[in-house]
Amino acid sequence: MTERSYHVITYGCQMNVHDSERISGLLEESGLVRASGEGPSAGADVVVFNTCAVRENADNRLYGNLGHMARIKEQHPGMQIAVGGCMAQKDRDLIVRKAPWVDVVFGTHNVGSLPTLLERARAEREAQVEIKEALETFPSNLPTRRDSAYAGWVSISVGCNNTCTFCIVPQLRGKETDRRPGDILAEIRMLVDEGVQEITLLGQNVNAYGVEFGDRRAFAKLLRACGEIDGLERVRFTSPHPKDFTDDVIAAMAETPNVMPSLHMPLQSGSDKVLKDMRRSYRSRRFLDILASVRESIPHAAITTDIIVGFPGETDEDFEDTLRVVEQARFSAAFTFQYSIRPGTPAGSMPNQVPKAVVQERYERLVKLVDEIAWAENRALVGQDVEVLFAEGEGRKDAATHRMSGRARDNRLVHVTVPEFPAQRPRPGDIGQVRVTYAAPHHLNSDEPIRGLRRTRGGDAWEALHAAPTGQVGVGLGMPTMRRD
Ligand code: SF4
C-alpha cells in the first residue's frame, strides 16, 4: 500500500511557522510522508491550512484558497483537507458550513488532535470540528519536523496577557502559558546535539516570560543560561514588548556572547495618543529610552520594528510624531503595515477610521523614510568585517556570480560571492568572516574572499540531510525553523 502524503500551507507569524513544524511532525509520526508534487496541493492526500487571522483579508484568502482546493479534491479521491490555526479557532464550524468539502477543523490549543480527527473523518465519512478553549498540551511536547538542519525555533510561552486594541491574538491563543526553563534548556541542548547552531526563542511577549511562575527576571536568566550551552553559536528571540523590557534583559544580552546584537522591538506608533488608543502601555519617550539603553550597552546592535499606519483616529500630527520617532530610532529595518479592521477587536468598531487614500499616502511616506535610514545605516558598514552564518534558500543565489546568502550576527542579510567550485563553498550552517563591499537598503554584499571559514556541526547536519534519501530532519519530540506576511 502506497504511503499517504501531506502538504502544510502556512500563513502568518513565526508562531504559525513553528506550529506547522509540529503539524508535519505529527503527520509523519502517524505514517504520512511529505508530498513533493506540483500545484497548490503538491499532489498530497492530506492538505493542511495553518491559518492566520491578523488582518482583514485573512478570511477572503482562506475561503478563496479552499475554493481552489475543492476542485483539486474532486479529481483526487480520498484526499482530505484540514484547517487549523487562528482562523479555525475564530470561525470554528462556520468553516465547514462555508466549505463543506473541508474534513477537519482544529484549533490553536489542540494541534495534537489532528491525526485522530483525520482518521475519524475518514472512518465516519463526516467532517470533524474540534476547538478547545484552553491549551491541551504545550506544543513543544509534540513531535516536530524541522525545516532547517542548523537553525531552530524554541517556544518559551504561548498566548498573551496584553490587550492591544488592534490585535485578535489573545482571543485566539488565550492567556500566556509559560514553559518551565528546564524544559526549554533541555530542548535547546537536544537541538544542539542535532547540529543546530542558531535558536530563536519564541513567544508573543517574551519579556513577560516567567509571569506565570512568579519570576519577573526569568527571561534574562534564560538568556544567560543559553550562554552556558556548548556548541550553541547564536541565540535570538521574538517578540519583545517595550512595556516589559527591563534592564536585566539588556545586561543579559550585552554580557552573554552567543546572544545576538539584534532586537526586534515593535513600536506600532510614535504618537502617544495613538499608543494610548492601541492600549500599548508605553509611550514614545519610554520606547526611545529603551533603545538608548540598549545602544549604550550594545553599540553595534541592529534594531528593527513593526509600525501600523492609519490606526483609527490617527491625525496628520500623530503621523508626524511617528516619523519623528523613526528618525530618532534609526531602525535597520521596519515591517510597516496599513491598518485594516479586524472584526472582533476593539479597534474594529472605533470611530474615525482613516480613509484608505490617506493611509496609503502616509504608508508610502513612512516606507520611504524607513528605507532611507536603513540604507544609511547599512552604508556605514561598508569596509567592516561581519560574521555570516550561511543559509539555504535565502536571498539571491545567482549561479552566474556564485553568490550565497546568510545572516550577520545583527541579523542583517548578506549576499556573499563564493568560490566557483561547490566543494570550496561554505555549506548552509557554516560560518565565516566577510568584508562588506556594498550596501543596499535591505541587504549587504561582500565580494571579497571569505576568511576564517568554519565548517560547523550545523553544516555537517545540512550535508547529512541533503545526502539522506528522504531528507528528513528531526522527526522526534520537541525539535525545531519564517516568513512574515
Ligand atoms: S502584545 Fe499586543 S499585539 Fe502582541 S500578541 Fe499581545 S495583544 Fe497582540
Side-chain angles (χ1 to χ4, degrees):
M1 188 173 90
T2 53
E3 284 172 316
R4 297 185 80 217
S5 61
Y6 74 88
H7 180 55
V8 180
I9 300 167
T10 306
Y11 302 109
C13 65
Q14 286 98 335
M15 266 46 97
N16 258 14
V17 170
H18 195 24
D19 277 353
S20 289
E21 294 184 327
R22 312 231 177 264
I23 291 167
S24 301
L26 283 161
L27 294 174
E28 292 194 7
E29 194 172 71
S30 62
L32 279 73
V33 295
R34 185 171 274 196
S36 55
E38 300 302 314
S41 74
D45 302 302
V46 174
V47 174
V48 183
F49 287 89
N50 186 12
T51 62
C52 164
V54 160
R55 268 175 285 287
E56 183 179 15
N57 66 351
D59 303 45
N60 314 337
R61 186 178 48 197
L62 172 65
Y63 291 109
N65 288 332
L66 285 176
H68 295 313
M69 215 49 84
R71 288 184 284 285
I72 295 173
K73 187 175 178 181
E74 278 160 19
Q75 315 299 322
H76 188 147
M79 178 179 169
Q80 290 185 294
I81 300 172
V83 178
C86 290
M87 275 292 295
Q89 188 75 22
K90 179 175 80 68
D91 281 9
R92 304 170 182 231
D93 51 3
L94 174 64
I95 292 175
V96 287
R97 289 207 303 276
K98 289 174 82 171
W101 53 90
V102 168
D103 301 278
V104 168
V105 177
F106 62 102
T108 55
H109 301 312
N110 61 320
V111 173
S113 314
L114 177 58
T116 311
L117 294 170
L118 285 166
E119 256 331 288
R120 204 185 298 154
R122 221 153 59 123
E124 299 174 11
R125 295 177 180 284
E126 192 183 347
Q128 303 292 314
V129 178
E130 187 183 277
I131 304 291
K132 301 286 180 175
E133 300 310 330
L135 201 59
E136 270 193 336
T137 307
F138 202 98
S140 302
N141 302 332
L142 300 171
T144 306
R145 163 65 149 94
R146 284 183 287 114
D147 289 336
S148 169
Y150 52 86
W153 306 105
V154 177
S155 291
I156 68 171
S157 64
V158 289
C160 184
N161 295 344
N162 295 317
T163 56
C164 305
T165 52
F166 55 81
C167 183
I168 199 157
V169 169
Q171 290 172 42
L172 302 179
R173 294 215 174 238
K175 287 286 182 200
E176 181 169 333
T177 303
D178 292 333
R179 204 171 160 209
R180 305 305 294 192
D183 295 347
I184 297 168
L185 294 168
E187 180 179 359
I188 296 172
R189 288 193 192 92
M190 203 193 276
L191 289 171
V192 171
D193 290 346
E194 292 256 330
V196 166
Q197 306 286 292
E198 176 175 302
I199 58 121
T200 301
L201 302 172
L202 271 183
Q204 303 287 358
N205 174 5
V206 293
N207 293 107
Y209 174 69
V211 73
E212 205 196 16
F213 51 85
D215 181 352
R216 295 316 305 261
R217 303 175 77 83
F219 186 58
K221 291 177 188 168
L222 183 62
L223 290 178
R224 291 184 185 278
C226 288
E228 311 293 318
I229 300 179
D230 287 342
L232 179 58
E233 293 269 350
R234 295 181 168 197
V235 177
R236 301 187 189 281
F237 56 85
T238 194
S239 288
H241 195 299
K243 91 170 173 53
D244 298 313
F245 207 88
T246 44
D247 292 345
D248 59 327
V249 172
I250 299 174
M253 289 179 71
E255 295 160 14
T256 311
N258 66 355
V259 174
M260 295 297 103
S262 64
L263 180 63
H264 181 72
M265 181 80 96
L267 169 69
Q268 304 300 11
S269 174
S271 153
D272 288 352
K273 188 204 82 187
V274 173
L275 286 172
K276 183 167 174 292
D277 293 345
M278 286 177 165
R279 229 187 276 148
R280 291 288 289 171
S281 311
Y282 58 84
R283 299 294 176 261
S284 56
R285 185 67 267 154
R286 160 97 174 127
F287 184 90
L288 291 169
D289 288 349
I290 295 171
L291 270 51
S293 304
V294 169
R295 288 183 169 131
E296 198 182 315
S297 302
I298 316 166
H300 53 294
I303 300 175
T304 59
T305 195
D306 294 338
I307 302 173
I308 296 173
V309 175
F311 187 79
E314 183 189 72
T315 62
D316 289 344
E317 293 69 38
D318 294 326
F319 179 64
E320 294 303 327
D321 287 343
T322 295
L323 296 181
R324 258 192 299 281
V325 171
V326 168
E327 283 276 6
Q328 293 173 54
R330 311 294 301 169
F331 297 117
S332 62
F335 294 94
T336 48
F337 305 96
Q338 300 192 28
Y339 175 77
S340 65
I341 292 178
R342 174 71 273 165
T345 62
S349 52
M350 279 182 183
N352 306 321
Q353 298 284 335
V354 182
K356 278 211 178 319
V358 175
V359 177
Q360 181 63 36
E361 186 269 339
R362 289 177 185 167
Y363 179 78
E364 288 165 10
R365 286 176 57 199
L366 176 66
V367 170
K368 185 169 174 294
L369 176 63
V370 162
D371 284 355
E372 280 165 8
I373 292 171
W375 198 355
E377 295 290 306
N378 280 355
R379 280 198 296 270
L381 296 174
V382 173
Q384 295 197 16
D385 295 340
V386 296
E387 179 202 79
V388 171
L389 191 159
F390 289 92
E392 63 183 314
E394 174 145 38
R396 256 197 322 268
K397 212 196 256 138
D398 20 7
T401 54
H402 306 301
R403 271 195 202 285
M404 278 183 74
S405 303
R407 296 275 168 175
R409 293 172 67 82
D410 65 10
N411 213 25
R412 281 183 165 92
L413 179 62
V414 189
H415 302 310
V416 180
T417 299
V418 293
E420 186 173 351
F421 302 104
Q424 296 168 342
R425 291 180 189 164
R427 303 159 305 174
D430 288 341
I431 294 175
Q433 293 289 327
V434 302
R435 171 130 326 147
V436 177
T437 54
Y438 171 76
H442 303 298
H443 70 266
L444 305 170
N445 283 1
S446 174
D447 298 323
E448 291 193 10
I450 300 167
R451 282 168 289 109
L453 180 61
R454 286 193 289 127
R455 294 174 71 79
T456 69
R457 298 180 56 254
D460 298 344
W462 181 86
E463 198 165 0
L465 168 71
H466 288 78
T470 60
Q472 286 198 325
V473 174
V475 175
L477 276 181
M479 312 261 205
T481 265
M482 181 153 91
R483 182 188 81 176
R484 185 184 271 269
D485 60 348

